Amino acid sequence: MALDERKGVWKSGKGKGRHTPKGRQLEDQSWAEVRALLGEGPRRRDLLIEYLHLIQDEYGHLSASHLRALAEELRVSMAEVYEVASFYAHFDVVKEGETPPPALTIRVCDSLSCELAGAQALKQALEGGLDPAEVRVLRAPCMGRCDTAPVLELGHHHIDHATPEKVKAAIAAGETHAHIPQYQDFADYSSSGGYAKLDELREGGDFETVQETLLASGLRGLGGAGFPSGRKWGFVRAEPGPRYLAVNGDEGEPGTFKDRFYLERYPHVFLEGMLIAAWAVEAERCFIYMRDEYPAVIEILKREIKALEAASKVEPGYIELRRGAGAYICGEESAMIESIEGKRGLPRHRPPFVAQVGIFNRPTLVNNVETLYWVTRVLREGGEILSGVEKNGRKGLRSYSVSGRVNNPGVHLLPAGSTITDIIAAAGGMLEGHSFKAYQPGGPSSGLLPASMHDVPLDFDTLQPHGTFIGSAAVVVLSDRDSAKQAALNMLRFFEDESCGQCTPCRVGCEKAVKLMQADTWDQPLLAELCTAMADASICGLGQAAPNPIRLTIKHFPDEI
């Protein structure tokens, strides 16, 4: 007798039998909507974050039914999709029974430069003057526009020197999309000799000669690490193929906006440098990871990559543009690679290093945007444009992102040995009525230095003896009207928000530090012990550098704590 003919084997009627699989059920309508968004394109697991962006952009949030449908379409678990969607700040996950967010979101930057410019008062005014059912107001980390603080993002439209009146006018006019600035496009760039160096190298260039030129110029990684660029290329080239190239465009260090400055003006200088680097390491594909806070840059790169493909400079699909989703940790190269692979941006344990085991476990060259910008210029104009500039015993040029209490904030290209006195002078001096008190030499990771240290060259290797570093050269200038204690608290709140949560010293340490720093008087021995634990035991640079604002404030501003 067959099993299905035997009495009692199969449940019928109101029994305890399950009619559907466990978990959320697939809804036909949501599945159809997800399929329509994905279109005829590939269903690749590494594109998960791109697919989540499609849904978020279309519906304003990520519903549980859409996440379930996406999991079905990609043939992965719902848990896998959910953990990625819930990791990134720019995705709004809405479960069953929850109210979706309003159609319009305002993100008010509250990093140090914007806080100095009145971001908190701006946020409070917006919360009190707008209907929360129509517009959601959130605090957000640095948007890379510190020179025009305070800044907010209305949808994908950035409002510089923001006021409630400007915001209401933009809402009334429906200005919620990115404004594309004027820039040098492919036609303009190629007509002035652009891509001639790339063509020359592809036809018969010698890698060793190119490497020597870069090393002689003194070009180092400008994302913060400062590793000699030509040497890194050699390490990756020596590994067995296939090899990849990844561009770290996740310029999330508060106070930094140099990469955006170059990309919004000269994108092809960067793109040619990237393709030269890809030629040098014989990369099979290039990935550009760009932060979601730069919608105008993303649109520019989309257009110009298409122009490169149309001009047969690259094969279609050779350059993949990946959009971040609001996670500072993805500026760490291994976390960025995890994100490129469609995962949570959790830093990897090293070794192995990404030059050996990077994207899809293949050798990967990771370079910063500005580094590749200078690759093109060095190879076209000669290494002397860097090595021929000398100041205070240092050679080269640095793009200082300057903001805070100065008259002319912005990107200032100065000799690498410039001091804070030189930088403030280049930025038009201090604001009227303000006296120079302190400065960040390289974003919150570098902490605060006092005005008395005005003669230290701001370059690689010159600041380490003082317990700090230049990093990405994000200089924020404070005046006598500012509190070093409050500035340090602002920096630690940023690290608390942006910790990926993977390791306990950073996850718990940042939270504990914020609580201790809110006291009227700091418990200095306990904070010092906490700083040591975080610096020694954290997996990546975020937790290792987070104690710097605490240590340097205790050292240089003891009267405030």
Side-chain angles (χ1 to χ4, degrees), residues 111-315:
S111 290
L112 184 57
S113 298
C114 284
E115 184 166 287
L116 296 178
Q120 296 301 333
L122 173 64
K123 180 173 178 288
Q124 290 172 7
L126 292 172
E127 288 173 335
L130 296 172
D131 183 358
E134 300 292 331
V135 183
R136 177 177 56 158
V137 180
L138 303 175
R139 57 183 284 262
C142 185
M143 298 176 185
R145 309 180 78 87
C146 317
D147 52 332
T148 56
V151 171
L152 58 79
E153 190 178 24
L154 176 65
H156 288 300
H157 169 49
H158 286 98
I159 298 180
D160 299 324
H161 303 297
T163 63
E165 292 72 28
K166 284 186 178 181
V167 173
K168 290 175 182 176
I171 293 174
E175 290 189 33
T176 60
H177 299 288
H179 289 199
I180 310 301
Q182 291 233 332
Y183 64 91
Q184 186 182 39
D185 63 11
F186 176 77
D188 289 341
Y189 182 70
S190 55
S191 66
S192 60
Y195 293 104
K197 175 56 68 173
L198 174 67
D199 294 340
E200 175 192 324
L201 292 174
R202 283 176 169 177
E203 287 171 13
D206 177 63
F207 168 73
E208 284 73 20
T209 302
V210 170
Q211 185 182 40
E212 270 307 311
T213 301
L214 291 177
L215 289 172
S217 74
L219 179 63
R220 297 170 67 171
L222 297 171
F227 196 82
S229 298
R231 195 172 301 159
K232 184 191 281 191
W233 290 12
F235 291 154
V236 177
R237 186 183 172 96
E239 295 291 326
R243 294 177 284 272
Y244 297 119
L245 180 146
V247 177
N248 191 340
D250 197 73
E251 186 179 45
E253 187 75 14
T256 313
F257 46 95
K258 61 185 179 62
D259 292 352
R260 178 183 64 81
F261 175 87
Y262 289 116
L263 288 170
E264 287 186 347
R265 290 161 177 79
Y266 316 108
H268 284 283
V269 182
F270 150 70
L271 287 169
E272 183 172 10
M274 179 191 74
L275 293 175
I276 289 171
W279 163 84
V281 300
E282 298 174 343
E284 294 203 358
R285 202 184 312 169
C286 298
F287 296 86
I288 303 175
Y289 188 87
M290 189 55 54
R291 65 188 310 223
D292 197 31
E293 290 86 349
Y294 288 175
V297 169
I298 291 172
E299 180 58 32
I300 289 170
L301 290 175
K302 283 180 180 177
R303 294 178 185 179
E304 299 313 308
I305 289 169
K306 285 183 180 178
L308 286 175
E309 293 174 349
S312 299
K313 293 296 181 185
V314 295
E315 293 292 323

Side-chain angles (χ1 to χ4, degrees), residues 325-352:
Y328 164 74
I329 192 63
C330 290
E332 196 278 337
E333 62 179 6
S334 66
M336 176 194 69
I337 286 174
E338 290 287 298
S339 192
I340 287 173
E341 293 179 355
K343 305 171 187 174
R344 294 175 294 166
L346 300 179
R348 297 176 178 177
H349 292 268
R350 288 173 287 186

